[in-house]
């Protein structure tokens, strides 16, 4: 009796452009980006629109004005945009943002589980409440995003891309942000496991692991005098690499979102200007 190979071979996610497969490539692919009101999420949304995808933009309801501004930019590129506010830690919100995306834009092909928070604090000064909030947003939020996106992609039957925000802090511990590191290690565990679980459906699951990137997340008082966003934290920590731009991350995510990246799954792509070597 022939044994089933393990791990099973990757299925092609999308048909080849030369039409060698039976199914037609959908006219436009659709991405949902969480935490898209600013920073890396906004840059990813803009980049994926440049790549020709329609975009559903998520963030918490308090960021509606920022989301509307991003939606206008996406539409000015000739793509469709829709806003699906919600909290990634709330199961009903994640289920609803996925179903609204498919209802309003026709499908969900690319899920970017980007929403996250940072805490610059040693473990001994960190409270249980801070731990629970960190793991809820950075851990449970990514778990729910993977779960509901994958269910929709399996239902559609044409594969997909799930791409999650980890960090270089998810590869090596740090004495100044211990619970953030723990949450990003959790993301990488979820990504590797989901990659194995979902490859039979032609869904790839990967993580992006930035070093410091100039966004509101790492802005500290004194940045302006020090030469820009992130320069204070760089100085405080004696950080030996350059602080990157959100577009540096968006370019890598753009590759992972493409049909052509079908053979890359379970990976943690580091984007840190050479700080970490794998
Ligand atoms: N900036 C960096 O240096 C850096 C480095 C490594 C990894 N990352 C990761 O990249 C991702 C994006 O970071 P950023 O720098 O753009 O941060 P940011 O703070 O600028 O943006 C994060 C966005 O996520 C949203 N968000 C927070 N909690 C949410 C929730 N419960 N539901 C929905 N949205 C929520 C915020 O409102 C915000 O708009 C995060 O996961 C972060 O951990 C950032």
């Amino acid at each position: 009796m022939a044994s089933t190979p393990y791990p099973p071979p990757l299925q092609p996610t999308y048909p080849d452009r030369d039409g060698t497969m039976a199914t037609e490539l959908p006219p436009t692919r659709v991405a949902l980006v969480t935490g898209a009101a600013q920073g890396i999420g906004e840059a990813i949304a803009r980049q994926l629109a440049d790549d020709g995808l329609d975009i559903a933009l998520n963030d918490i309801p308090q960021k509606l004005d920022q989301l509307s501004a991003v939606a206008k930019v996406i539409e000015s590129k000739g793509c469709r945009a829709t806003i699906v506010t919600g909290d990634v830690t709330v199961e009903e919100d994640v289920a609803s943002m996925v179903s609204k995306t498919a209802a309003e834009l026709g499908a969900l092909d690319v899920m970017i589980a980007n929403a996250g928070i940072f805490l610059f604090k040693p473990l001994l000064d960190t409270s249980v409440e801070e731990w629970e909030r960190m793991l809820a947003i950075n851990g449970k939020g990514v778990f729910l995003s993977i779960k509901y996106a994958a269910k929709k992609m399996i239902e559609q039957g044409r594969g997909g891309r799930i791409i999650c925000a980890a960090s270089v802090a998810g590869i090596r511990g740090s004495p100044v942000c211990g619970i953030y590191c723990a949450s990003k290690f959790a993301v990488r565990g979820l990504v590797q496991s989901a990659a194995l679980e979902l490859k039979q459906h032609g869904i790839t699951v990967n993580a992006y692991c930035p070093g410091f990137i100039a966004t509101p997340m790492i802005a500290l008082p004194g940045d302006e005098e020090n030469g820009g966003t992130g320069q204070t934290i760089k100085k405080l920590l004696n950080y030996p690499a350059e602080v990157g731009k959100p577009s540096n991350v968006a370019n890598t995510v753009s590759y992972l979102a493409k049909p052509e990246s079908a053979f890359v799954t379970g990976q943690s792509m580091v984007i840190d200007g050479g700080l970490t070597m794998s």
Side-chain angles (χ1 to χ4, degrees), residues 148-166:
Y148 284 94
K151 280 175 181 276
K152 175 53 72 183
M153 289 170 185
I154 292 168
E155 179 193 312
Q156 293 172 166
R158 60 172 190 237
R161 300 279 177 267
I162 300 176
I163 306 164
C164 307

Side-chain angles (χ1 to χ4, degrees), residues 108-120:
L108 177 63
D109 299 292
V110 177
M111 178 75 187
I112 311 290
N114 167 79
I117 55 166
F118 179 64
L119 184 67
F120 184 40

Side-chain angles (χ1 to χ4, degrees), residues 94-169:
V94 180
S96 142
M97 71 177 78
V98 166
S99 60
K100 276 188 191 156
T101 299
E104 286 171 30
L105 299 178
L108 177 63
D109 299 292
V110 177
M111 178 75 187
I112 311 290
N114 167 79
I117 55 166
F118 179 64
L119 184 67
F120 184 40
K121 230 181 205 187
L123 287 175
L124 302 196
D125 297 335
T126 301
S127 68
V128 169
E129 291 72 26
E130 287 168 328
W131 164 264
E132 282 169 353
R133 181 161 186 264
M134 179 67 68
L135 269 289
I137 297 175
N138 292 10
K140 181 169 136 192
V142 170
F143 156 62
L144 292 173
S145 299
I146 293 174
K147 177 175 171 180
Y148 284 94
K151 280 175 181 276
K152 175 53 72 183
M153 289 170 185
I154 292 168
E155 179 193 312
Q156 293 172 166
R158 60 172 190 237
R161 300 279 177 267
I162 300 176
I163 306 164
C164 307
S167 167
V168 289

Side-chain angles (χ1 to χ4, degrees), residues 34-41 58-60 63 66 86-89 97 113-118 133 137-138 165-168 180 184 208-218:
T34 70
Q38 64 186 44
I40 293 171
N58 157 264
D59 211 296
I60 49 177
K63 297 271 174 90
Q66 280 172 265
D87 181 335
V88 295
T89 69
M97 71 177 78
N114 167 79
I117 55 166
F118 179 64
R133 181 161 186 264
I137 297 175
N138 292 10
S167 167
V168 289
Y180 179 74
K184 295 302 187 181
Y208 49 97
C209 299
F212 278 139
I213 302 294
T215 73
M217 178 173 276
I218 61 156

Side-chain angles (χ1 to χ4, degrees), residues 16 32 46 49 51 69 77 79 81 86 120 162 183 207 217 229 232 242 249:
D16 290 342
L32 166 57
R46 286 169 178 247
D51 295 342
K77 295 171 187 284
C79 299
F120 184 40
I162 300 176
S183 73
M217 178 173 276
T229 307
T232 311
E242 266 180 65
V249 181

